[in-house]
Amino acid sequence: MATPSRALRRLPWRFRLWWIGATASSAGDAMLAFALIWLASGHGAAAVALTSTLALVPRVAFLLLGGVLGDRHGPGWTLLATYGIQVVLLVVLVPLVGAAPSVGLLAATALATGVLSALGQPAATVLPRLLIDHEDQLPRALAQISASIQLARIVGVPAAGVLMATQPLAIVLVLHAGTVALALATLLVVQAGAATGATGSSGPPGGIVAELVVGLRSATRLKVWRLLLSVALVCAAVLPGIAVLVPITARARGWTAAAAAQIDAAWAAGVLGVTLVVSLTSTLHRPRLALVTGPTGCALGLTGLAVATSPAIATASTALVGAGTALYTTHVAPALLRLAPADQLSRFQSLLGVVQLLPAAVLSAPYATLGHLQPAAALAAAAVAALLAAALGLRPLRAA
């Protein structure tokens, strides 16, 4: 058996193959998400609020269910089902959207894709743990996944910005269907060569509700709620700050769709830079340092975006937000996943997902409304949330 030090240098082929498909699918996700919000922003604040909220609410509502399904049937089978349904959905939507989709159709598309994303996300996050050879590889595997998601965003968002200037939404849907089909194909190969569905369990008596309660009790017993509150604050600052306020701010300041896409992609570039370093060197020996400096960097970047007078300044600011986000998440995610009981991996990950998305789901509409009135004020509020997360990081982790 390879030693842990050697294992750190090379991830298994099955992980790398699945990583290629997951990266392609993430690029399609980024393209469609930006396209929906950009088109909605042309209809006003209410359209942005509706579309962004419906993209996030089902992710919160169905994430815990997705975690239970992942634990019951195994991450591999759960992802095969969600990928397959998503391909069918995207193909069906192509002839429906037309040249100028209505606000209702934009919102419906965001809702449907959000549900499927929620059901598959816990399984997608747990799957890398089943594809590696040693636990020492987990931080690198998660960092590589995170890096690839941001690389996909760097490619997908600017591509969507260019397409929105010349092409209808249907083209984005077709391209996204192709990326999900690639992810489905790679997963089929991985599923045939590894027991990625073997972790499924029947769960405790009482059905899905009882299984959800078990997961919540485990989180309470392990005393991770303060850490989860810190995660919630970072996500309350960053997710709506980038996804909702960047397009609104760009329109308010007279910048183009391409400029807005560049600013959004700079956040992904910042995340990518830090996660690549972590994937090569692993995490810091003192994670508290990352839990403080990461959110502080987010706050500084959001403040810079609030006062930016040009796309160049805004781009540099969102890159700083991305770097802070990655420094934080690359240290939080492995710690929480290691704490999860072996038979509750997907449920624990779904709980983390709810904590990440619930603040954004609740705050997207207020951010959109305030952003249309005063973008700088909305971004300043996001910066305050990030600083509160940094303050929580000052306390020792064992005090959670």
Side-chain angles (χ1 to χ4, degrees):
M1 179 180 293
T3 63
S5 60
R6 182 178 179 181
L8 281 170
R9 292 198 295 269
R10 186 172 182 83
L11 294 167
W13 71 267
R14 56 187 181 274
F15 170 83
R16 287 180 279 122
L17 179 62
W18 177 75
W19 168 76
I20 291 172
T23 302
S25 179
S26 296
D29 289 340
M31 288 175 59
L32 183 58
F34 180 85
L36 292 175
I37 293 297
W38 180 257
L39 291 172
S41 68
H43 294 277
V48 174
L50 177 65
T51 303
S52 60
T53 299
L54 288 181
L56 290 171
V57 166
R59 297 173 192 262
V60 176
F62 290 94
L63 263 175
L64 289 175
L65 176 59
V68 171
L69 292 175
D71 285 336
R72 277 193 170 190
H73 305 293
W77 291 113
T78 302
L79 278 176
L80 283 174
T82 55
Y83 281 157
I85 296 171
Q86 189 173 8
V87 171
V88 173
L89 171 67
L90 292 169
V91 171
V92 168
L93 284 171
V94 170
L96 299 179
V97 295
S102 64
V103 173
L105 194 52
L106 294 173
T109 302
L111 175 65
T113 55
V115 169
L116 290 173
S117 175
L119 293 176
Q121 182 178 328
T125 308
V126 169
L127 189 63
R129 184 172 179 177
L130 305 178
L131 298 177
I132 59 176
D133 294 326
H134 302 275
E135 279 294 314
D136 289 335
Q137 293 176 319
L138 182 60
R140 286 189 62 230
L142 293 179
Q144 186 166 321
I145 290 291
S146 179
S148 67
I149 290 173
Q150 303 315 320
L151 179 61
R153 191 181 182 102
I154 291 171
V155 174
V157 172
V162 172
L163 288 171
M164 285 299 94
T166 59
Q167 302 294 329
L169 179 61
I171 299 299
V172 175
L173 292 171
V174 170
L175 292 173
H176 190 15
T179 63
V180 179
L182 176 60
L184 178 62
T186 58
L187 184 57
L188 283 169
V189 175
V190 170
Q191 184 81 343
T196 58
T199 60
S201 63
S202 59
I208 288 177
V209 174
E211 295 187 49
L212 295 177
V213 171
V214 168
L216 293 173
R217 285 177 176 172
S218 295
T220 300
R221 176 172 53 82
L222 293 170
K223 299 180 180 180
V224 296
W225 288 108
R226 182 180 60 80
L227 194 58
L228 292 175
L229 175 59
S230 174
V231 172
L233 286 168
V234 170
C235 293
V238 173
L239 295 183
I242 299 298
V244 175
L245 293 179
V246 164
I248 290 175
T249 302
R251 279 192 183 272
R253 296 176 182 175
W255 302 336
T256 64
Q262 171 188 305
I263 296 166
D264 187 299
W267 174 79
V271 173
L272 177 62
V274 173
T275 50
L276 283 177
V277 171
V278 172
S279 70
L280 294 173
T281 63
S282 196
T283 51
L284 299 176
H285 294 296
R286 297 176 59 193
R288 282 180 60 195
L289 181 62
L291 300 186
V292 175
T293 57
T296 301
C298 292
L300 292 174
L302 289 165
T303 302
L305 181 59
V307 300
T309 55
S310 69
I313 297 175
T315 298
S317 298
T318 52
L320 178 57
V321 176
T325 302
L327 182 60
Y328 178 83
T329 57
T330 53
H331 289 77
V332 165
L336 288 174
L337 196 55
R338 284 196 182 103
L339 287 171
D343 61 343
Q344 298 176 34
L345 290 176
S346 293
R347 258 170 290 183
F348 235 64
Q349 185 54 43
S350 65
L351 177 61
L352 176 59
V354 169
V355 171
Q356 290 173 320
L357 294 175
L358 182 59
V362 172
L363 295 173
S364 285
Y367 269 130
T369 302
L370 180 58
H372 270 87
L373 297 174
Q374 183 53 258
L379 288 164
V384 170
L387 287 176
L388 290 174
L392 285 175
L394 291 170
R395 295 178 59 187
L397 291 177
R398 293 183 182 275

